[in-house]
C-alpha cells in the first residue's frame, strides 16, 4: 500500500494494468489490502469458481432488469475517499453510460473470502460498504468451506448477520433470490482441512 491523493489514485488507476482499491489515502492491490500479512498473486480455483457461479446464477435470475450484476473489474465508488472492486455486485439504478468507469450505487455486494483478504472483507470493508445508502445486503462466501454470511440492513438502519451452511439456502431478499447452498458450491474444490492455520 502507498499513500496518494484521490486524484493521484484515479490517474494511476486509469493507466494501470492491474486493479487497485483505495481507502483513506491508501492505494493497494485488491489481493493485498492494508493490514494483510500475505498477498495473493491470484485467486484460488475455489475463489474463481464461486465468483463465476454467483455471477451466472444472478445473471439468469435478474434477466432483463431493472437490476444488473457486475463482475470484479467494475469499480464501485463508496464515498470520496473509498473505491472498491467487489468480486460481484448488483445495482438497481446505476448509470446507463456504456463508457462509465465506475458505478456509485449498489443494492447487493458480494466478496469471496481468501486468506489474504478475509479479515479486511469482514471488518473495514464491511464498515465502508455500510455507508452506501442504497445497499441492502453484503454477502461473504467462504472459499474453504460451504458457508455464506449475509449482512442485511434492517429497518432503522441496523445490520443483521445471517449464516447459511450446507443443507440450507442462500437467500438475498433485496433481489428476491434464493439458491441451495449445495447448488452454489457444486463442483467447487474446497479445503480438506479448513481449520488449519498454515494456509497457503
Amino acid at each position: 500500500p502507498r499513500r496518494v491523493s484521490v486524484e493521484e489514485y484515479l490517474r494511476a488507476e486509469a493507466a494501470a494494468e492491474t486493479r487497485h482499491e483505495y481507502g483513506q489515502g491508501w492505494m493497494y492491490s485488491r489481493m493485498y489490502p492494508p493490514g494483510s500479512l500475505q498477498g495473493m498473486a491470484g485467486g484460488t480455483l475455489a475463489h474463481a469458481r464461486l465468483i463465476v457461479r454467483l455471477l451466472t446464477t444472478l445473471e439468469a435470475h435478474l434477466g432483463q432488469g431493472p437490476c444488473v450484476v457486475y463482475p470484479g473489474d467494475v469499480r464501485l465508488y463508496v464515498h470520496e475517499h473509498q473505491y472498491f472492486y467487489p468480486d460481484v455486485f448488483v445495482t438497481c439504478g446505476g448509470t446507463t453510460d456504456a463508457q462509465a468507469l465506475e458505478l456509485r450505487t449498489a443494492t447487493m455486494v458480494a466478496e469471496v473470502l481468501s486468506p489474504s483478504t478475509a479479515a479486511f472483507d469482514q471488518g473495514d470493508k464491511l464498515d465502508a460498504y455500510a455507508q452506501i445508502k442504497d445497499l441492502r445486503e453484503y454477502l461473504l462466501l467462504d472459499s474453504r468451506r460451504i458457508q455464506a454470511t449475509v449482512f442485511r440492513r434492517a429497518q432503522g438502519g441496523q445490520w443483521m448477520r445471517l449464516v447459511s451452511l450446507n443443507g440450507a439456502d442462500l437467500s438475498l431478499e433485496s433481489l428476491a433470490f434464493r439458491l441451495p447452498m449445495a447448488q452454489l458450491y457444486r463442483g467447487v474444490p474446497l479445503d480438506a482441512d479448513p481449520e488449519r492455520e498454515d494456509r497457503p
Side-chain angles (χ1 to χ4, degrees):
R2 60 190 178 96
R3 280 279 191 183
V4 298
S5 67
V6 173
E7 294 74 20
E8 290 172 317
Y9 162 71
L10 293 174
R11 283 197 300 269
E13 193 65 359
E17 295 183 0
T18 58
R19 297 293 181 236
H20 299 82
E21 295 186 329
Y22 183 81
Q24 305 302 326
W26 292 100
M27 177 178 176
Y28 53 89
S29 167
R30 290 186 67 230
M31 301 306 289
Y32 207 148
S36 293
L37 299 179
Q38 58 180 337
M40 291 179 65
T44 63
L45 294 180
H47 189 277
R49 288 297 303 154
L50 281 170
I51 292 173
V52 170
R53 181 67 50 72
L54 186 60
L55 278 169
T56 55
T57 52
L58 281 173
E59 176 73 13
H61 171 72
L62 295 172
Q64 297 300 310
C67 298
V68 180
V69 61
Y70 290 96
D73 59 351
V74 177
R75 188 170 67 220
L76 178 61
Y77 170 99
V78 178
H79 59 72
E80 61 181 338
H81 297 294
Q82 204 95 51
Y83 294 82
F84 292 140
Y85 287 90
D87 286 329
V88 177
F89 72 101
V90 173
T91 177
C92 297
T95 179
T96 57
D97 180 2
Q99 302 304 312
L101 298 177
E102 67 185 36
L103 289 170
R104 295 194 168 208
T105 182
T107 300
M108 190 283 299
V109 169
E111 299 282 7
V112 177
L113 302 178
S114 64
S116 66
T117 65
F120 187 59
D121 289 342
Q122 297 174 89
D124 290 348
K125 188 167 273 192
L126 168 61
D127 292 340
Y129 280 139
Q131 299 179 61
I132 301 175
K133 64 181 179 64
D134 296 326
L135 187 69
R136 308 314 306 164
E137 289 172 309
Y138 178 44
L139 168 64
L140 296 173
L141 293 178
D142 198 314
S143 63
R144 306 181 72 218
R145 60 176 69 79
I146 299 178
Q147 180 173 310
T149 303
V150 176
F151 292 90
R152 182 173 296 150
R153 196 192 302 264
Q155 291 185 351
Q158 300 299 314
W159 288 87
M160 299 186 302
R161 179 178 180 269
L162 304 98
V163 177
S164 298
L165 305 174
N166 195 16
D169 287 351
L170 168 63
S171 175
L172 298 173
E173 290 187 353
S174 62
L175 307 175
F177 175 81
R178 182 176 292 272
L179 183 70
M181 291 288 287
Q183 184 176 338
L184 177 63
Y185 278 82
R186 187 181 64 239
V188 175
L190 299 175
D191 199 320
D193 184 13
E195 301 300 331
R196 79 184 193 282
E197 294 298 326
D198 56 331
R199 304 171 187 175

